[in-house]
Amino acid sequence: MWIIGVIIVLVAIIIMLILFNIKIHKEISNYKNINQKINGLNVLQDFMTTAGDSISVDEKIRKINEILIEEYDIKYSTIVEFNGTEYVIKASNVEEKHWDNLRSLHNEEIFRDSITTATPKYITVDNENERLPYQKSEFGRAKAAMFFPLYIENVYIGYWIIESGIPHAFDNIDTTILEVVKDNILSVFRIVNYQNIVESLTRDDYYSALKSSEYLFNEGRKVIDKYTTSTICMFRISNLEQINHEFNRETGNQVIIDVCDYIKENLSGEYIFVRYMGPKFVIAFSGAEVDGVTRFVLDMKNAVENLEIEIVQEKKADNEETSKKTAKAKLNIVLTTYYKGTALEKILKKQEEYLDNAPVTEHDVNNI
């Protein structure tokens, strides 16, 4: 009987150990899941931080690719964008001599269905003597690859491919994590899409030879955000419409040219000067306090308003010119402090509203 008792005790101990192991396994699994989620959140935070950095779109995507490679221990990672006309490698740690091949993967039969159906594709070789179907001249670099087509709101924008030099390297990889990574890449593409548009819209104004307002939100902001605070000055040539009406539009254009030429000649190169819209212009005094800027702006205003700008003469029917006259510009100016990282566009909108609603006869320097 005592043997039966011992057996029962042993069975009970074994059952307890099994239950204990099951509990430990669940806790370890939960810990791994929590750890993966925390890691995913950290990577996402890195992505979002990168998206908000004052760097170009291309630099952001390259930095994101570097984060992927480091955080997920990926051997090779390449992000390719389809811009509507051609495929462009936006980021890759593969040697550049292989880029022609990597930017042409959409032509490979093995990936066409993946692009059409918007589903990932995993391919691998079984031994070191084989090579992947899309590899032409590179025999030993990659032995396994996962291909992810990228779509934003059902619009195809390119693909992301990760590669390993080991056969079957991705057999046991958690594809849900890679899907999350892919979604994070798309999130960043959405964020930087506006910046991409702004960068492409930046142009030079014909008359003032200044950059357009879009420049402020791209290259200009990189300069401004080197400092904790800066002063944003928006001014309006308040009598430009009157000059156009009293004389002619050509004279109004000449007023813009002469005013901007004078300011550019007397403005430090570290400050940003752009034509904002119509008769409104913006000077970003990088790293300067309002009090320090006010004196300079007053002197600038007085000098500009004393410029005598020749009227662009119009020919009469008998080819005699009108009597020579000069025009003078009047400036209405508003100054505001900008703090690094805050909404620059809101400051400009507030300044614009002030100048647009001010009386036509007002030409002063105001702090708001």
Side-chain angles (χ1 to χ4, degrees):
M1 292 295 294
W2 65 272
I3 295 177
I4 296 174
V6 170
I7 293 172
I8 292 173
V9 171
L10 289 174
V11 169
I13 291 173
I14 291 171
I15 292 173
M16 289 176 63
L17 288 172
I18 291 173
L19 293 174
F20 180 75
N21 284 336
I22 291 172
K23 181 181 178 182
I24 292 297
H25 178 73
K26 286 183 177 179
E27 288 179 354
I28 291 173
S29 296
N30 289 335
Y31 172 78
K32 286 182 177 178
N33 288 334
I34 292 171
N35 193 49
Q36 286 177 351
K37 289 178 180 178
I38 291 173
N39 187 54
L41 288 172
N42 289 337
V43 174
L44 179 59
Q45 179 62 49
D46 289 340
F47 281 6
M48 296 301 104
T49 300
T50 300
D53 284 346
S54 296
I55 55 179
S56 70
V57 169
D58 288 343
E59 288 175 302
K60 287 179 181 179
I61 297 174
R62 284 194 292 268
K63 191 172 179 180
I64 286 165
N65 201 49
E66 291 170 2
I67 293 171
L68 293 175
I69 293 165
E70 181 179 349
E71 294 294 334
Y72 294 103
D73 195 24
I74 296 171
K75 179 67 174 177
Y76 301 110
S77 176
T78 302
I79 299 172
V80 180
E81 181 188 38
F82 177 59
N83 61 18
T85 58
E86 61 180 345
Y87 285 80
V88 180
I89 290 186
K90 305 300 287 185
S92 180
N93 66 327
V94 178
E95 289 184 88
E96 195 167 344
K97 63 183 180 182
H98 302 307
W99 284 13
D100 283 342
N101 187 29
L102 288 170
R103 70 165 63 93
S104 303
L105 297 183
H106 59 286
N107 293 324
E108 297 292 333
E109 185 67 34
I110 197 167
F111 295 130
R112 286 178 184 170
D113 285 345
S114 177
I115 293 174
T116 303
T117 59
T119 55
K121 179 73 174 181
Y122 175 38
I123 57 176
T124 186
V125 297
D126 292 323
N127 59 68
E128 293 289 344
N129 296 322
E130 297 179 276
R131 64 180 175 185
L132 297 174
Y134 64 88
Q135 293 185 310
K136 309 302 180 187
S137 60
E138 40 179 336
F139 184 78
R141 184 180 64 81
K143 300 298 181 182
M146 289 200 73
F147 179 90
F148 297 87
L150 302 176
Y151 281 81
I152 293 180
E153 296 178 356
N154 297 322
V155 176
Y156 173 64
I157 65 163
Y159 51 83
W160 170 45
I161 184 169
I162 59 173
E163 301 168 290
S164 173
I166 302 171
H168 296 279
F170 303 126
D171 285 5
N172 299 315
I173 196 168
D174 188 346
T175 55
T176 58
I177 292 178
L178 290 178
E179 283 291 331
V180 171
V181 173
K182 184 196 74 172
D183 290 341
N184 289 342
I185 292 173
L186 291 173
S187 295
V188 174
F189 263 104
R190 289 188 185 95
I191 292 171
V192 301
N193 187 50
Y194 171 73
Q195 181 183 346
N196 209 7
I197 293 171
V198 168
E199 288 180 1
S200 65
L201 287 176
T202 300
R203 61 198 184 282
D204 291 336
D205 178 61
Y206 180 77
Y207 294 107
S208 64
L210 300 173
K211 296 291 185 183
S212 60
S213 61
E214 290 83 7
Y215 182 82
L216 268 179
F217 301 102
N218 180 30
E219 295 300 321
R221 189 159 191 164
K222 294 177 191 177
V223 177
I224 301 168
D225 279 350
K226 290 179 181 178
Y227 305 91
T228 304
T229 60
S230 298
T231 298
I232 305 300
C233 166
M234 182 181 288
F235 69 87
R236 177 188 176 109
I237 303 177
S238 55
N239 64 334
L240 185 61
E241 292 90 344
Q242 179 184 344
I243 291 171
N244 288 339
H245 178 73
E246 183 177 344
F247 301 107
N248 50 58
R249 185 169 292 276
E250 287 73 18
T251 299
N253 292 335
Q254 191 61 48
V255 168
I256 291 173
I257 292 169
D258 288 2
V259 168
C260 291
D261 283 349
Y262 178 85
I263 294 175
K264 280 187 291 186
E265 288 173 5
N266 292 277
L267 194 64
S268 171
E270 64 187 278
Y271 300 146
I272 311 299
F273 184 24
V274 300
R275 185 170 187 179
Y276 187 73
M277 186 181 297
K280 296 184 287 288
F281 301 79
V282 172
I283 305 173
F285 292 93
S286 313
E289 301 288 341
V290 170
D291 290 343
V293 168
T294 303
R295 183 70 262 170
F296 171 83
V297 169
L298 283 169
D299 291 342
M300 176 193 77
K301 178 181 184 302
N302 291 333
V304 166
E305 292 184 341
N306 283 322
L307 292 175
E308 294 190 352
I309 301 166
E310 286 191 13
I311 303 303
V312 179
Q313 299 288 352
E314 290 183 327
K315 298 287 185 179
K316 292 184 177 180
D318 56 2
N319 290 330
E320 291 183 5
E321 293 186 349
T322 59
S323 58
K324 184 173 287 187
K325 299 179 182 177
T326 59
K328 288 190 174 184
K330 296 294 183 182
L331 305 186
N332 199 17
I333 302 173
V334 60
L335 303 174
T336 307
T337 298
Y338 164 75
Y339 297 93
K340 178 181 178 180
T342 58
L344 177 61
E345 64 278 5
K346 290 188 177 180
I347 289 176
L348 295 171
K349 184 65 176 175
K350 185 177 179 181
Q351 290 182 324
E352 183 179 21
E353 288 175 351
Y354 178 89
L355 292 176
D356 285 346
N357 294 322
V360 177
T361 55
E362 178 179 308
H363 50 99
D364 206 346
V365 177
N366 305 278
N367 293 340
I368 62 170

